[in-house]
Amino acid sequence: MPLSGLRVPQSADAAADTPTLLGFSARHTDRPGGFLTICRPALHGTHDPSLVALSIAVAVIASYAALYLAGRVTAHPGPGGWIWIVVGGFAMGIGIWSMHFVGMLAFRLPLDGPMSYDTVLTLLSQAPAIGASALALTLVSRQRLQNRHVLIGGILIATGISSMHYIGMAAMRIAPAITYDPVLLAASVAIALAASYLALWIAFELRERYSAVAVLAKLGGAAILGGAISSMHYVGMAAAQFAPETVSLAATEGHNLTSASLAHLVGGASIVLLLATLIASALDAHMADKQTRMANLLRADNQHLQSIAFRDSLTGLTNRALLEDRLTQEIRHAERGGRIFAVLFIDLDSFKPVNDTYGHRSGDFMLTVLADRLVGAVRGTDTVARVGGDEFVVILSELADPRDAAALCEKIRDTIAQPVVLPQGEVAVSCSIGISLYPDHGTDTITLLENADAAMYAAKADNRYGYRFFKPDMKKTQAGHAPPIA
């Protein structure tokens, strides 16, 4: 006798529902003297291995696209970033949905009719996947990804992926409706949550890395994420329970998707879409890199031009043109704050014999060494300029007391006096320094420089301390000497 026709007497007070016996479903009536009918075993589905492999491949490619697109979104702040969020969210969402749909088409139930899917619900299941993908790209584009962002974002993304899966399951045109094992259902949601957290963390960490090692890391991350997404899907499928009397509604209802070749079509189309998105992203990255290189070249050229225009070609110090601008700014700053500052005019004593004896190459080397010493002897806020062959000007900004200028002059004098090692041997020179103070010795650039120059000549003539503060009578002894800057 067939199992579906076997009937067993049932007591009048038996419960309305009888658990499955030895793997077989059972049902009975509630009438006294009724019979227990042992029906066919519960339906168990199988999966097409080739389509399962295709679905996992789609999941991995979608995951890699997600990791790559995270970098493009970050590289385009503002409106450009939102365009990539929309485009990337759509491509990623379709990729994740395609993995799910191909996995659904890989599922086989022993039904009398073909398996079919409700068109509206199938298309509707795309929306949560696209929304979750766009949300993920939005989160990883932030400058900082805080723990609360990861927590809230992970929950929302997991909700989107889980909704996609179970809306897609509801699209199966079968009767009666699917029931779910609560443990496996909870496990599938937990996997979706873990995959979401992992995706956010990996995407944020690798979003702006493009080295060979980073590419390998993204491939490894894509394999992990793709496997996690696939695991969520197939655990969710395992949670589905199909009644033994389940029948396909494909023969009785229209507007359903029934073609088995649709799995390959959807999988192939999603891979093409994801690859096209990756190619577009790669081209965008290439163009952005090209623009960055051009911008860097232009910046370098501009810096070179500025260096030519405002820097001394030998020592790299501020030149005459930039010195005037710096001195003008210092005067304005001192006027506003009621502060004093000093201008030092420095001349190297007996430097010409160095050039005559050892050659200009050695003389140039000695100038660069002494220029570096000057920069090291003053503060970072001070300005050091070369205004002639062996002449330098230093702006000592914001002095608390004129004696601070004298202390710095002594430091400069002692620093310059240290021997310089040339190929021919050690050579030492001294220096003479003239000091003019703002506002006591001048309130404009020309006057301050002229008075510092006059004081320098007085120091050279005095030959005692190496430096002198400006005094009005110094100009009489320097009559006919041209100022350093006209």
Side-chain angles (χ1 to χ4, degrees):
M1 178 183 297
L3 290 175
S4 59
L6 179 61
R7 306 176 72 208
V8 179
Q10 175 70 13
S11 64
D13 57 351
D17 296 311
T18 304
T20 302
L21 303 174
L22 300 178
F24 294 87
S25 285
R27 71 168 67 167
H28 60 264
T29 66
D30 56 359
R31 295 173 299 172
F35 291 90
L36 175 67
T37 304
I38 300 179
C39 305
R40 294 176 299 170
L43 292 183
H44 296 284
T46 59
H47 289 85
D48 184 324
S50 63
L51 295 184
V52 170
L54 177 60
S55 69
I56 296 174
V58 171
V60 172
I61 295 174
S63 299
Y64 184 80
L67 298 179
Y68 196 90
L69 286 170
R72 303 318 312 144
V73 171
T74 305
H76 289 277
W82 284 108
I83 293 174
W84 275 108
I85 287 175
V86 173
V87 174
F90 178 80
M92 287 168 51
I94 292 299
I96 295 172
W97 173 85
S98 298
M99 174 270 149
H100 156 79
F101 190 59
V102 171
M104 293 285 292
L105 293 176
F107 186 64
R108 299 285 187 269
L109 275 177
L111 302 177
D112 294 336
M115 181 71 72
S116 63
Y117 301 88
D118 181 88
T119 306
V120 174
L121 286 177
T122 298
L123 296 177
L124 182 62
S125 65
Q126 296 176 358
I130 295 173
S133 299
L135 174 62
L137 290 177
T138 302
L139 287 174
V140 299
S141 66
R142 301 174 65 92
Q143 293 296 324
R144 295 178 59 190
L145 191 61
Q146 299 177 355
N147 291 334
R148 60 188 180 90
H149 296 144
V150 176
L151 177 62
I152 298 172
I155 292 174
L156 293 176
I157 293 169
T159 301
I161 294 175
S162 300
S163 299
M164 171 205 69
H165 175 80
Y166 288 105
I167 291 174
M169 292 289 288
M172 297 178 67
R173 305 307 298 154
I174 56 176
I178 305 171
T179 59
Y180 292 95
D181 181 286
V183 175
L184 291 178
L185 187 147
S188 70
V189 174
I191 293 173
L193 190 61
S196 301
Y197 287 143
L198 187 63
L200 288 175
W201 181 78
I202 294 177
F204 185 80
E205 291 296 324
L206 300 178
R207 59 181 182 168
E208 294 182 304
R209 301 181 186 179
Y210 299 98
S211 64
V213 175
V215 171
L216 291 176
K218 288 179 181 179
L219 288 173
I224 294 172
L225 293 178
I229 294 172
S230 301
S231 298
M232 179 269 160
H233 171 83
Y234 289 108
V235 170
M237 292 293 294
Q241 296 178 335
F242 301 93
E245 65 272 21
T246 299
V247 295
S248 171
L249 302 180
T252 60
E253 298 185 11
H255 305 291
N256 299 308
L257 307 173
T258 57
S259 175
S261 62
L262 190 60
H264 294 92
L265 178 63
V266 170
S270 65
I271 290 176
V272 170
L273 175 63
L274 291 169
L275 291 178
T277 304
L278 285 172
I279 292 172
S281 301
L283 290 175
D284 177 73
H286 174 73
M287 294 301 297
D289 182 63
K290 185 176 180 180
Q291 291 177 352
T292 301
R293 289 200 305 269
M294 291 181 64
N296 290 336
L297 287 174
L298 289 174
R299 189 179 299 109
D301 290 342
N302 185 49
Q303 291 175 348
H304 179 64
L305 291 174
Q306 287 184 349
S307 176
I308 294 174
F310 300 117
R311 295 289 175 180
D312 176 62
S313 59
L314 176 63
T315 62
L317 297 177
T318 299
N319 64 7
R320 287 174 177 265
L322 186 56
L323 175 65
E324 282 189 328
D325 181 70
R326 293 279 180 87
L327 189 52
T328 300
Q329 292 181 25
E330 191 65 34
I331 291 172
R332 292 173 181 171
H333 183 67
E335 285 177 347
R336 289 193 299 268
R339 299 182 177 89
I340 65 172
F341 68 89
V343 175
L344 312 183
F345 202 103
I346 304 170
D347 181 77
L348 300 180
D349 300 327
S350 303
F351 182 75
K352 187 176 182 298
V354 175
N355 277 332
D356 295 341
T357 304
Y358 300 110
H360 287 282
R361 179 172 296 181
S362 294
D364 288 348
F365 174 75
M366 190 170 188
L367 283 174
T368 59
V369 172
L370 296 179
D372 291 340
R373 290 181 182 178
L374 269 176
V375 173
V378 299
R379 301 163 301 176
T381 56
D382 300 328
T383 297
V384 181
R386 183 185 177 212
V387 296
D390 58 356
E391 295 178 332
F392 301 86
V393 171
V394 178
I395 302 174
L396 300 177
S397 62
E398 297 189 17
L399 293 176
D401 189 282
R403 287 174 292 186
D404 294 339
L408 280 169
C409 286
E410 292 177 359
K411 183 179 180 182
I412 291 172
R413 180 195 62 193
D414 296 341
T415 299
I416 294 295
Q418 297 296 318
V420 177
V421 179
L422 300 177
Q424 298 88 347
E426 291 187 351
V427 178
V429 295
S430 60
C431 68
S432 300
I433 307 172
I435 310 167
S436 64
L437 297 173
Y438 173 92
D440 295 345
H441 303 149
T443 57
D444 62 85
T445 59
I446 294 178
T447 303
L448 287 168
L449 287 168
E450 286 181 344
N451 291 343
D453 185 41
M456 181 271 294
Y457 274 93
K460 190 180 290 287
D462 187 33
N463 196 27
R464 285 185 300 172
Y465 303 107
Y467 65 90
R468 292 286 300 275
F469 283 92
F470 172 75
K471 293 181 179 180
D473 60 352
M474 291 178 178
K475 277 197 171 183
K476 297 178 182 179
T477 62
Q478 198 212 356
H481 179 74
I485 296 179

